[in-house]
Amino acid sequence: MAVPSFLFLAVAGLAAVVHGLSDARGWRTAIMLLANAGFLLTFSHHPFDLAPYLGLLLAGFVIVRVIGKGVDGRVHAALIAGLVAAFLWLKQYSFVPKGMLLPFEYVTIGLSYVFFRVVHLAVAARDEAAAGHVGPLEYINYTLNFTSLVSGPIQAFEEYKRMTDDEPASLTLDDFGVALERIITGMFKFLVLATLMSLVQRHAATMLTSDPSQLDRALLVAGLAAAYPVFLFFNFSGYTSFVIGVARLFRLELPENFNQPFRAASFIDYWSRWHMSLSNWLKAHVYNPLLLNSARRVSDPSALPLINVGALFVTFFLIGLWHGPAWHFVTFGLLNGAGVAVNQFYRLAMQRRLGTARFFALTKRPSYVFVGRGLTFGWVSFTLLWFWADYPDLAGFVRQLGPLGIATAVPTLVIGGGVAIAVLTRVQDLVHHIRWRGEPVVASPYLRTIAATLMLLAVVAVNVTMAGDTGEVVYKNF
Amino acid sequence: MTASAPRRKLDRRLVALPLIALATAATVLVPAEIVLRRRYPDQPVDRCLDQAVVPLHGKAGCTSYVKAAEGPWVQNRYNECGYRSLSSCGPLPPGALRVAVIGSSMGAGTFVPGPQSVASRLAANLSVACGRAVQDQNLAVPAFPIDKLAVSGREAFALHPDALLITVTSFDFNNLPGTRPPAAKPFIKKVTEAAQTALKDFAVYRTAKRLFLSSERDYLDFISAQRRSDADILRESRDGLRLLSEQIGLILKSPRRSATAIALVFMPNREELARTHLQAGRVEPVSRALRRIAEAHGISYIDGLSAFPSAVPTASLYYVANGHLNATGDDYIARELTRKMTGSMPPFATCRGGSRG
């Protein structure tokens, strides 16, 4: 079953109605269990293709309960390492010998996100009684939460438990309206805007084959590179908005994954706004432990900034590596790690040169923000080349462009990206400043209803015209 | 007083917001429908065809006008026998040849002006190639049922044609009488197809479809996304193919057949042509099945897919919204028919070959 889609919405809506029939925790748990199991089963085509998936879940549960009973640090680390190894094996990463892989096809939908939740539980189990004593139903509903199974967002267990046990989120009429708005906005971004950007990219790729002039070629390659991050944003944030809205119908508040990432004026800031639930997970379970452990082993305090850079590099290298088992994601990871490392070195150098207060003031200047956004967007577009193009494609671009073409394409991407972002953010800020009776007009429920209706019309038009084939969220593959 | 005020606000929005949503949709859709109907009027109903029963041919001596939304107004003139032909269905002038065409809307050249339709162009091309008058008698009508082909064939033989072209398209295999119900479709497919059927009379939907599917690249992606396997296609067409073969057998047994050369002509739809363009060397399963049927009955087979060079975008050959061949598409088909008929079908095989325009 595709997510987002009208079919998923219809089934989830029905489940939400049944879920809401009673406030009893047992009832809500049972309905969620049925919905979660049912959704997972829609991806199964033969009896044993869920076995590896369920095996990982079972192993995770046993590990969490063992850790919850009390284990020393080494055993804890070994158990988590075992979970990581099982995940890498099931996801068939390139470095796993082919002879060790399972000889049949099996379900891997959302396996990454299940893995993140299981590891989170395994880490939390040592210190938190609630995590260590998680019951089987609670464990299944948390790890297999159908609203966020396909591509997240990754929710912390404590938050999930709070909302399912003691403090479910309210579901007033206003809340329902906001949830519906998120669902429609999500579908609009995913189905209409992402499709539009995909068409732009495809059009640029087609024009490249028509032997354009050197200048046109450079502009087209810059356009190709720029279109993909925008497409990916609409595709993934559209999915996220949709599932957040759906989860809200079950009185669950999933964490946000995006905070206007193209407003970021630095690569580090970009990653604090893009796929935030993953960044937060990696910060909690990779960056912080790595930094703390490394810092403990070093006596010279002046080395701490370098250790920080190293920890950042490793964390963001792993973000890249997580995206897929193929070797071009290694390059993606290296570029991400290098990007944050260079960014951090730059910050350290500028703070040393200008002092923290002056550097902070500099980063607030409009010209600095403009250049920062352009450079960040340019670097993001460059790293994402390894998402949609393979090595032969990239070699082809380099050959086609030549040094002069590259020298034209790169500034075009950076400056063009900076200008476009500056214009859009300015328009957005202006729109938010328009007020009616002291309130921002964009907050008006009447205006929002009109906007949501127009978006829904566009979604229905595209969906019916394309005979229900709505495409997939890119992050489903990771 | 204070406790009741928030409750009144809640009630008002419960009514107001859905009304605003409906009003927004109406404000967008109603003017769009009106404007688009005026800008792209369409008239799919041919009043010269009896709408109460399945027509076997048009009304004798009738003239009507039809239009596809993105095409021109088309005059349909039916001769004294009720066939869409500019020529009389009476005895042939001395030395003239006659080609009869039977089948459904693709063979009829629905939505294509008469002189530019397949049958008329074919007759004109053959006249040039053969150096003598060649007449067309077009018995094909829209929605013609396959199970009545033998009846149409016998009617065509009464005209003493030199060649009979049995035109077939995959659409003819839908909704056949007395056949098995189609294989169960996924629920979402049924809902989407039902929505499309309900919406197809709306100009907004047809325009949206044209906008989304006019681009060749988008249509090819759309086709790829359909993921219909050849096995699925053959399964859906199996009953229609069987019925077609039976009808051809009946046509061949007709005592009126005499020396008429017969050919089975495959008129591909846009999806089939697009799939052929996507994959070089691909043979459409329906085309392969039709060739086998023709060989089994010992008649010629002309594959309409061969008519179109792969470089020609399918969007330029078909009406995007309703899927019929347009004048350009009919021209290509007519040229291919001319080539094949002057290559191997008596009495046209002795012609030197060539086409007009």
Side-chain angles (χ1 to χ4, degrees), chain B residues 322-346:
Chain B
N322 75 23
H324 284 90
L325 284 162
N326 59 21
T328 308
D330 272 7
D331 184 29
Y332 276 104
I333 293 276
R335 289 188 204 202
E336 179 67 5
L337 289 173
T338 307
R339 194 173 67 83
K340 286 285 168 66
M341 289 173 74
T342 55
S344 59
M345 261 180 96

Side-chain angles (χ1 to χ4, degrees), chain B residues 70-303:
Chain B
E70 66 253 54
W73 279 103
V74 168
Q75 184 190 64
N76 290 330
R77 284 167 62 182
Y78 293 88
N79 62 19
E80 69 273 31
C81 292
Y83 309 146
R84 191 187 176 213
S85 299
L86 299 172
S87 318
S88 163
C89 60
L92 272 171
L97 296 172
R98 180 175 273 170
V99 175
V101 176
I102 63 174
S104 61
S105 53
M106 290 281 228
T110 304
F111 302 116
V112 176
Q116 296 168 32
S117 66
V118 174
S120 293
R121 281 192 195 269
L122 173 62
N125 294 345
L126 289 172
S127 296
V128 168
C130 300
R132 54 204 274 205
V134 177
Q135 238 192 37
D136 67 287
Q137 292 295 320
N138 193 347
L139 286 79
V141 288
F144 189 86
I146 281 189
D147 66 327
K148 296 283 188 272
L149 266 179
V151 173
S152 195
R154 283 195 287 273
E155 200 171 319
F157 286 143
L159 301 170
H160 306 292
D162 296 281
L164 171 66
L165 302 181
I166 306 170
T167 64
V168 175
T169 176
S170 296
F171 297 145
D172 298 337
F173 303 143
N174 297 332
N175 302 320
L176 300 170
T179 57
R180 282 184 290 253
K185 292 181 186 172
F187 175 71
I188 187 61
K189 267 280 179 208
K190 283 187 201 170
V191 169
T192 313
E193 285 176 7
Q196 287 183 319
T197 305
L199 288 172
K200 70 180 171 64
D201 288 335
F202 288 93
V204 170
Y205 169 71
R206 288 197 303 268
T207 306
K209 197 171 172 184
R210 275 208 314 280
L211 284 173
F212 283 116
L213 299 179
S214 284
S215 152
E216 191 65 7
R217 189 70 239 178
D218 292 339
Y219 188 71
L220 294 179
D221 285 348
F222 173 62
I223 294 303
S224 296
Q226 296 288 297
R227 292 184 281 269
R228 288 175 77 213
S229 68
D230 287 0
D232 290 336
I233 294 166
L234 276 176
R235 188 173 45 247
E236 289 164 15
S237 309
R238 190 172 46 211
D239 289 336
L241 289 165
R242 181 183 48 78
L243 203 52
L244 172 68
S245 183
E246 288 169 5
Q247 292 294 305
I248 292 175
L250 291 171
I251 289 172
L252 293 173
K253 285 178 188 164
S254 172
R256 289 182 173 184
R257 182 191 166 186
S258 66
T260 307
I262 300 176
L264 179 61
V265 180
F266 176 46
M267 309 281 278
N269 58 37
R270 188 186 176 194
E271 183 182 334
E272 286 157 340
L273 185 59
R275 276 199 297 264
T276 314
H277 284 179
L278 260 179
Q279 198 182 321
R282 173 182 167 79
V283 177
E284 274 292 310
V286 168
S287 172
R288 193 185 306 120
L290 289 174
R291 183 182 295 278
R292 283 201 198 113
I293 289 174
E295 286 168 358
H297 289 288
I299 61 175
S300 303
Y301 175 65
I302 302 176
D303 186 355

